[in-house]
């Protein structure tokens, strides 16, 4: 009975995670590349409407808590800014964007590596590969849980 309770809780958690996945996939702020060496440049992009005013990108991380203002129109729409990472400490940074009308444009992360470290990525949220991998993991976990539960029930019926 305890195993069924654990499997039921796990299935419920996977179900909620699956429901929340599309919300995460709609993140409006992107950072490209996802990984850059110290002294590299990352492009911060939001879907803020330029007519609503400037976008403010708040960058927080191991040694930063700064705002970057943007009035530059992004090629695909929205607003963008370039951030030069000279003087940044190695680690992961979060970028949260707020549009000129006060609405949030979501957040994204990037990692600063040593010079000669990991190659630059294609942007944390730009292509959503991580989200797709997470979704696949959730679906796989749900299928595995259902299979184990079905086997356990079949075993219990056969031995009763």
């Amino acid at each position: 009975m305890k195993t069924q309770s654990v499997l039921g809780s796990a299935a419920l958690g996977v179900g909620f995670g699956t429901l929340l996945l599309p919300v995460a996939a709609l993140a409006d702020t992107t950072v490209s590349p996802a990984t850059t060496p110290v002294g590299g440049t990352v492009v911060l992009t939001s879907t803020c409407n330029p007519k609503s005013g400037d976008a403010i990108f708040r960058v927080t991380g191991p040694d930063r808590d700064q705002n970057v203002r943007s009035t530059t129109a992004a090629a695909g729409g929205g607003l963008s800014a370039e951030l030069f990472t000279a003087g940044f400490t190695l680690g992961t940074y979060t970028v949260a964007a707020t549009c000129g009308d006060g609405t949030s444009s979501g957040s994204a992360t990037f990692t600063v590596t040593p010079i000669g470290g990991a190659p630059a990525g294609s942007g944390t949220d730009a292509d959503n590969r991580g989200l797709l991998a997470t979704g696949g993991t959730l679906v796989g976990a749900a299928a595995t849980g259902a299979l184990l539960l079905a086997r356990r029930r079949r075993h219990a019926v056969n031995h009763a």
Side-chain angles (χ1 to χ4, degrees):
M1 195 61 126
K2 189 174 186 179
T3 303
Q4 288 177 346
S5 174
V6 169
L7 289 175
S9 296
L12 186 62
V14 168
F16 281 132
T18 304
L19 290 174
L20 294 175
L21 185 64
V23 174
L26 297 175
D28 296 328
T29 296
T30 59
V31 179
S32 182
T35 304
T36 188
V38 173
T41 301
V42 292
V43 178
L44 316 174
T45 307
S46 75
T47 56
C48 293
N49 184 345
K51 293 180 182 177
S52 68
D54 302 351
I56 302 294
F57 296 97
R58 183 170 184 196
V59 180
T60 56
D63 68 342
R64 297 285 167 193
D65 188 355
Q66 73 182 71
N67 290 326
V68 178
R69 181 178 300 270
S70 174
T71 58
T72 305
L79 295 169
S80 69
E82 290 187 353
L83 179 64
F84 186 52
T85 62
F88 276 54
T89 298
L90 303 181
T92 301
Y93 292 81
T94 300
V95 178
T98 304
C99 301
D101 61 4
T103 60
S104 172
S105 182
S107 64
T109 60
F110 68 95
T111 302
V112 176
T113 61
I115 294 174
S122 62
T124 12
D125 294 327
D127 57 12
N128 292 329
R129 279 187 229 157
L131 291 172
L132 291 176
T134 302
T137 301
L138 290 172
V139 169
T144 302
L147 180 64
L148 290 174
L149 186 59
R151 281 186 182 175
R152 181 153 182 86
R153 284 186 182 166
R154 203 173 327 136
H155 180 71
V157 169
N158 290 339
H159 289 20

